[in-house]
Amino acid sequence: MKRYQKMSSLYAPTLKEDPAEAELVSHKLLLRAGMIRKTAAGLYSYLPLCWRVLRKIEGVIRDEMEGIGAQEIQVPILTPAELWEQSGRYGAYGPELMRLKDRHDRDFVLGPTHEETFTDLVRNELRSYKQLPVTLYQIQDKFRDELRPRFGLMRGREFIMKDAYSFSASQESLQECYDAEKAAYARIAERCGIKALPVVADSGQIGGDTSVEFMALADAGEAELVWCDCGFAADTEAATAEVAVAEGEAGELERVHTPNAGTISDVSALLGVQESATRKALALIDGEGRATVCFVPGDHEMNDVKAEHVFGDYHMMTDEELRDAGLVKGFIGPVGLPEGIRVVADASLKSSEWWLVGANLANYHYRHAQMGRDFTIDEWVDVVCAREGDLCPHCGKPMHAARGIEISQVFQLGTKYSESMGATFMDEDGREKPFLMGCYGIGVSRMVSAVVEQHSDERGICWPVCVAPYEVEVVAMSVNDDVVWPVASKVTEELAAADLEVVVDDRKERPGVKFADADLIGIPYQVILGKKGVAAGNAEVKVRETGERFDVPFAELSQWLRDRIVPARA
């Protein structure tokens, strides 16, 4: 007889109230449903129900990886710092990298990712192009010393991640590996019940030139993205959208009095123009110490990630630095800037001839500033955040905005790690060449939160069958009589024998408590047994996600549930 779980012995301590520490829906519900418990900031224990969900997600991942020929291994979490020094990331990664020393005073890191370890593993083993391509992966804990760990499993200091690395002899082979992983990641999200968009992304600390993130759409998502009906989608950090810029008025340069109008909204209201017809000036010191003013459309913001790519380790000017540079806060413009100021502008303004700008004089702006006549731009850059209404770079239609939870990402690393770490192979002509690498990561524990964000309601979690901790919960209204409980026991055994994953609520609790916990925990199908139904020979079956209820004869119950559950399994 296949085993089933009794609620009376299940370690799932539920909570009636939302914990004060929890902000996101997923964080609240995973705590309340007895699935996780906090050990310290950013550190959580996975309790039995959550662990079953994690194992199902990992099973989907392993199945898809096997389908594309990726091979599972396991490397140490603890990594010698010298490998990170070889790649150049030991100093560059920042304080998020957890560093420690052993008893011999040797430096180690707790891996947030494992590019260095995998590259070191293969550099003395894969010696010929005939052995390539190879893709290796693992599923293990990772560590990042987050400044502000929050949102439960969404942003922790320890988390479960699947990371894979491909090693190829040619760009064509790398592209094939990358495409295979990208397609597998789309299937993994779908099989786990997550609606996700593949979006163009920034490569961040990983490096490389080509990257796509899979974003689970959720109002609570940390990432901002734009997407188009044509299928294009991008993280706002990486999107290169066409900004709809309003043109200023043509005419002779005119200085106008704008008292106390030191913000774009102030200027727009005072002069009666659209914010997109104004130009926002951002004064900064770039990574080389140069005083720089960057102009962007008045209704857009500069993106920090894009700006770092352009300006390096920059910072916005302080009030003191503004004064030293001869700049007037709130009234900076390109006409008559002090000598030595580097002038750059977002590429979206390149086709705009007439600008409304600050006059570099307190309480004054210029109308009708003409590019070429009144000012010039030293360099055009891409630094603005794409936003709703900007035009799609693929089809030219206005884009939509959304928020998303990053659940996975794929990268083409090229030779970033193989060159720095001396990982080479012999090509067909007998020449040593660095591997062309790809990197592919999935936040396994983060996917649990993403599922709950998309599949929950005011009563609790609504697990999709594919990742549910159990598929059926038998809710016995009474466990102290000779009418309901004998039938509940028999039904539970029959469902388990029918290869369904079953938990039975055998607790001596009031029906209201059992119903509340059943909805909170969110098993997909609830089989409710009371005296009236038992007398009629029927079970009441409630579909958790839709709330639909069905009266099903006991003789048909196992097959009725199998017909709905088995096709829905991942």
Side-chain angles (χ1 to χ4, degrees):
M1 178 70 67
K2 186 172 180 180
R3 296 194 61 178
Y4 54 85
Q5 177 65 51
K6 293 182 177 181
M7 284 286 288
S8 60
S9 59
L10 175 65
Y11 186 53
T14 59
L15 304 173
K16 292 182 179 180
E17 303 295 332
D18 290 338
E21 69 190 81
E23 300 177 51
L24 298 191
V25 168
S26 57
H27 192 189
K28 294 175 184 177
L29 292 179
L30 289 171
L31 285 168
R32 286 191 56 210
M35 298 201 173
I36 62 173
R37 283 296 180 266
K38 180 180 175 180
T39 301
L43 302 175
Y44 286 86
S45 296
Y46 307 111
L47 306 192
L49 290 172
C50 188
W51 195 246
R52 289 178 67 91
V53 174
L54 284 164
R55 285 290 172 258
K56 286 193 174 183
I57 293 173
E58 290 177 3
V60 172
I61 292 170
R62 288 188 170 97
D63 186 53
E64 288 293 340
M65 290 301 99
E66 183 176 337
I68 62 173
Q71 303 171 66
E72 185 172 10
I73 66 171
Q74 191 88 144
V75 303
I77 297 173
L78 191 65
T79 305
E82 63 188 69
L83 294 181
W84 282 67
E85 289 170 346
Q86 290 174 22
S87 71
R89 285 209 297 174
Y90 188 68
Y93 199 92
E96 289 77 21
L97 184 65
M98 288 194 169
R99 299 167 169 87
L100 63 158
K101 291 181 181 289
D102 69 6
R103 66 178 66 194
H104 303 293
D105 205 37
R106 290 177 299 207
D107 292 315
F108 287 84
V109 303
L110 290 177
T113 60
H114 278 82
E115 287 80 6
E116 287 83 359
T117 310
F118 273 71
T119 304
D120 176 62
L121 176 69
V122 305
R123 62 180 166 181
N124 294 318
E125 305 287 352
L126 297 178
R127 299 300 304 142
S128 170
Y129 72 94
K130 295 179 181 180
Q131 298 171 278
L132 304 176
V134 169
T135 299
L136 305 173
Y137 79 97
Q138 64 176 351
I139 300 175
Q140 71 165 200
D141 283 5
K142 297 287 188 290
F143 298 86
R144 288 181 190 151
D145 194 5
E146 294 281 358
L147 177 62
R148 289 182 293 273
R150 53 185 177 165
F151 304 146
L153 303 185
M154 201 80 79
R155 184 172 291 279
R157 291 193 290 170
E158 178 179 353
F159 51 94
I160 300 173
M161 181 176 171
K162 171 264 178 186
D163 50 330
Y165 306 89
S166 64
F167 301 88
S168 295
S170 66
Q171 179 59 42
E172 292 75 17
S173 174
L174 169 57
Q175 188 66 48
E176 290 175 1
C177 293
Y178 177 86
D179 290 342
E181 289 279 348
K182 181 180 173 184
Y185 277 26
R187 293 192 296 270
I188 289 167
E190 183 179 3
R191 289 179 61 181
C192 290
I194 297 175
K195 182 180 179 181
L197 285 176
V199 305
V200 177
D202 181 78
S203 296
Q205 293 279 14
I206 302 296
D209 298 325
T210 304
S211 179
V212 166
E213 291 173 340
F214 285 85
M215 291 283 189
L217 299 182
D219 291 339
E222 291 183 281
E224 297 181 10
L225 55 112
V226 288
W227 60 280
C228 180
D229 295 327
C230 74
F232 171 79
D235 188 315
T236 56
E237 293 179 349
T240 53
E242 183 180 337
V243 177
V245 177
E247 182 73 347
E249 299 174 345
E252 293 299 317
L253 185 65
E254 175 189 1
R255 191 168 70 187
V256 293
H257 190 213
T258 52
N260 302 314
T263 69
I264 292 296
S265 59
D266 292 339
V267 175
S268 174
L270 181 64
L271 299 182
V273 298
Q274 302 175 56
E275 289 191 3
S276 61
T278 66
R279 305 295 176 255
K280 185 182 298 182
L282 302 162
L284 57 95
I285 304 296
D286 69 15
E288 298 179 9
R290 294 178 295 181
T292 302
V293 174
C294 178
F295 293 95
V296 301
D299 62 341
H300 279 65
E301 300 297 330
M302 185 168 72
N303 181 276
D304 288 340
V305 173
K306 287 185 176 182
E308 284 182 4
H309 290 319
V310 174
F311 303 120
D313 186 18
Y314 78 97
H315 70 269
M316 304 307 294
M317 285 190 190
T318 64
D319 288 349
E320 183 179 354
E321 287 172 327
L322 285 169
R323 288 193 297 270
D324 291 344
L327 300 174
V328 182
K329 186 176 181 179
F331 299 91
I332 302 171
V335 182
L337 274 170
E339 289 292 325
I341 301 289
R342 177 188 177 201
V343 184
V344 301
D346 189 77
S348 60
L349 298 174
K350 198 169 186 177
S351 60
S352 175
E353 183 179 2
W354 300 96
W355 292 22
L356 171 58
V357 293
N360 295 309
L361 180 65
N363 298 316
Y364 284 90
H365 279 75
Y366 277 128
R367 287 184 186 270
H368 321 309
Q370 184 182 23
M371 191 191 312
R373 182 191 70 185
D374 303 313
F375 67 91
T376 58
I377 301 297
D378 298 329
E379 184 180 353
W380 298 98
V381 295
D382 176 19
V383 292
V384 297
C385 285
R387 52 173 285 179
E388 187 167 20
D390 287 348
L391 305 182
C392 173
H394 286 193
C395 71
K397 294 181 180 178
M399 295 191 294
H400 314 284
R403 300 195 69 85
I405 300 167
E406 180 194 341
I407 57 172
S408 56
Q409 191 164 6
V410 293
F411 307 85
Q412 288 190 34
L413 299 174
T415 60
K416 174 180 172 63
Y417 293 90
S418 54
E419 279 190 345
S420 61
M421 297 184 68
T424 61
F425 67 95
M426 197 76 72
D427 72 4
E428 295 180 58
D429 300 322
R431 295 175 297 179
E432 291 281 336
K433 286 187 175 180
F435 295 111
L436 287 161
M437 292 175 56
C439 169
Y440 320 98
I442 296 178
V444 181
S445 48
R446 177 175 274 226
M447 285 184 71
V448 176
S449 289
V451 173
V452 176
E453 288 290 335
Q454 291 189 349
H455 296 273
S456 59
D457 58 23
E458 68 281 358
R459 295 184 301 278
I461 304 170
C462 308
W463 291 110
V465 168
C466 47
V467 294
Y470 291 92
E471 296 165 339
V472 181
E473 178 175 352
V474 177
V475 184
M477 293 294 93
S478 174
V479 298
N480 296 316
D481 64 359
D482 57 1
V483 177
V484 175
W485 180 243
V487 174
S489 297
K490 183 181 179 183
V491 165
T492 300
E493 291 175 356
E494 289 176 350
L495 295 179
D499 196 33
L500 298 174
E501 298 174 0
V502 185
V503 59
V504 57
D505 194 340
D506 61 332
R507 298 175 299 165
K508 297 177 182 179
E509 292 281 4
R510 301 188 316 275
V513 173
K514 293 187 175 186
F515 288 143
D517 280 353
D519 282 348
L520 176 61
I521 292 171
I523 307 303
Y525 291 89
Q526 300 171 12
V527 175
I528 302 167
L529 299 174
K531 290 183 179 180
K532 184 177 180 181
V534 167
N538 293 329
E540 181 183 2
V541 181
K542 175 183 173 181
V543 182
R544 173 66 185 93
E545 187 144 32
T546 65
E548 295 173 287
R549 295 174 183 264
F550 302 89
D551 289 327
V552 183
F554 291 134
E556 302 172 14
L557 184 59
S558 293
Q559 192 59 50
W560 190 94
L561 287 167
R562 280 187 57 83
D563 288 344
R564 288 155 178 79
I565 289 172
V566 173
R569 287 174 176 167

